[in-house]
Amino acid sequence: MTAQKITAERAAETTTTTAATTTAATSTAPTTTTTAAPAAGTWQLGDLTVNRIGFGAMRLPQTGEALIADAVPRDRDTAIRVLRRAVELGVNHIDTAAFYFSPLRSANELINRALAPYPEDLVITTKVGPRRNPSGEWLPHATSQQLRGQVEENLRQLGRDHLDVVNLRVLGTGSIAERFGALAELRDAGLIRHLGISNVTPDHLTEARAIAPVVCVQNMYGVGVRPDQDAFVRSCGEQGIAFVPFYAVAASGRETGASGTEHPEVLAVAGAHGASPAQVRIAWTLHRGSHVLAIPGTGDPDHLASNVAAGELRLSEDDLAVLDSLHQRGV
């Protein structure tokens, strides 16, 4: 699909969405046929404007559990269709990584195949730090000297001459100065436009900002998931930094995905809005602040449309009180 075709189809999508806005005014239930990602608003990642509903590519290369050596590769045509549909729905923020792969499938290469030449407004965020060998087995995290190779691998797979945003994925609580400094040098060299950090503490953010600007923080967070992060989420907003939750839908299921069971409180809110529990979980994260960006991932076209539609779901104060209480219990 060419960039021109994507633009034309997005214009048609916008016309349809505008017509749906009048209907949405009398109902808080999200739709899955006319809602586009811009319904949730936008945020600035540095000088890049992104819609707050994005797409996470971790689940794209396989069906079932992600990030395991013997994952079952997803059908290639289905994965490509999901990516193209995401852009048609207005998604312009895709989160990926070179270590998102299964036998026969690479998230980065699927993105390249589906979307290049890339739309001008598409922002691709990637991560470096974790390493896997060609068989999919985990290796020690990259050293500062190895990070350039990871950046270059992402550039090659995505077919780009620079990366929009690169997050340093962190393991543990030790200093990140040397590794983040290495990425800052690559930023100065023009290989990276903006920097972020992932799986970090507030001290990591302070340390990183002393070296180079930070446009986003990615941490595990969601309804009942890490309520200890609440203050950090607020602090990021106060500093003008995007907070990007991961596993907001899967919660404790993490790489395996949502468990299929749900808390009664989430089910009650979902039922009141004619929404799915996943949509409620996504909407709750978006309600945590205008700087919070959602990146739900899927390899299923129907789930994709439902996830994007969550950007239209407006939770009431009573809904939020119920969900906040659940969240504080950490369950």
Side-chain angles (χ1 to χ4, degrees), residues 149-223:
Q150 290 194 321
V151 167
E152 291 176 344
E153 182 180 19
N154 278 280
L155 288 168
R156 177 185 60 79
Q157 291 178 350
L158 290 166
R160 305 290 296 271
D161 60 4
H162 75 279
L163 299 174
D164 297 323
V165 183
V166 173
N167 286 301
L168 175 64
R169 175 78 169 185
V170 176
L171 182 64
T173 59
S175 173
I176 63 171
E178 184 177 356
R179 286 168 292 161
F180 194 77
L183 292 181
E185 291 177 2
L186 296 177
R187 174 180 174 269
D188 292 341
L191 297 183
I192 300 170
R193 192 162 182 171
H194 298 294
L195 295 173
I197 49 179
S198 175
N199 201 43
V200 294
T201 67
D203 288 342
H204 284 141
L205 177 57
T206 300
E207 187 177 28
R209 294 189 76 201
I211 298 169
V214 175
V215 300
C216 58
V217 167
Q218 286 190 347
N219 274 7
M220 185 173 174
Y221 187 66
V223 178

Side-chain angles (χ1 to χ4, degrees), residues 6-240:
I6 290 173
T7 301
E9 292 189 359
R10 186 175 299 166
E13 186 76 37
T14 301
T15 300
T16 304
T17 303
T18 301
T21 303
T22 301
T23 301
T26 60
S27 173
T28 57
T31 66
T32 57
T33 56
T34 60
T35 304
T42 62
W43 183 259
Q44 294 290 130
L45 291 174
D47 60 346
L48 302 172
T49 302
V50 297
N51 294 321
R52 292 179 63 214
I53 285 278
F55 177 80
M58 185 187 73
R59 304 201 181 280
L60 202 60
Q62 72 288 306
T63 61
E65 186 172 356
L67 306 181
I68 57 174
D70 59 350
V72 178
R74 188 176 300 280
D75 176 73
R76 182 181 179 84
D77 290 341
T78 300
I80 288 173
R81 187 165 70 251
V82 165
L83 285 163
R84 289 176 175 169
R85 182 58 178 154
V87 171
E88 290 167 358
L89 288 172
V91 168
N92 66 352
H93 176 212
I94 296 178
D95 178 82
T96 186
F99 57 87
Y100 287 173
F101 66 86
S102 68
L104 306 180
R105 301 285 179 266
S106 155
N108 281 354
E109 290 171 351
L110 287 168
I111 291 167
N112 188 345
R113 173 66 181 85
L115 301 178
Y118 297 109
E120 290 185 3
D121 68 337
L122 181 64
V123 175
I124 300 177
T125 299
T126 190
K127 289 173 288 297
V128 294
R131 296 190 302 146
R132 300 170 70 193
N133 66 23
S135 298
E137 298 167 335
W138 290 102
L139 301 171
H141 271 224
T143 64
S144 57
Q145 293 78 19
Q146 293 169 324
L147 288 174
R148 184 184 182 104
Q150 290 194 321
V151 167
E152 291 176 344
E153 182 180 19
N154 278 280
L155 288 168
R156 177 185 60 79
Q157 291 178 350
L158 290 166
R160 305 290 296 271
D161 60 4
H162 75 279
L163 299 174
D164 297 323
V165 183
V166 173
N167 286 301
L168 175 64
R169 175 78 169 185
V170 176
L171 182 64
T173 59
S175 173
I176 63 171
E178 184 177 356
R179 286 168 292 161
F180 194 77
L183 292 181
E185 291 177 2
L186 296 177
R187 174 180 174 269
D188 292 341
L191 297 183
I192 300 170
R193 192 162 182 171
H194 298 294
L195 295 173
I197 49 179
S198 175
N199 201 43
V200 294
T201 67
D203 288 342
H204 284 141
L205 177 57
T206 300
E207 187 177 28
R209 294 189 76 201
I211 298 169
V214 175
V215 300
C216 58
V217 167
Q218 286 190 347
N219 274 7
M220 185 173 174
Y221 187 66
V223 178
V225 179
R226 299 208 58 191
D228 61 293
Q229 293 282 290
D230 288 351
F232 194 17
V233 174
R234 290 192 296 270
S235 175
C236 285
E238 292 164 358
Q239 297 174 75

Side-chain angles (χ1 to χ4, degrees), residues 226-265:
R226 299 208 58 191
D228 61 293
Q229 293 282 290
D230 288 351
F232 194 17
V233 174
R234 290 192 296 270
S235 175
C236 285
E238 292 164 358
Q239 297 174 75
I241 297 170
F243 188 91
V244 189
F246 57 83
Y247 299 143
V249 175
S252 60
R254 299 173 66 92
E255 293 89 349
T256 60
S259 65
T261 60
E262 190 52 270
H263 296 287
E265 294 94 329

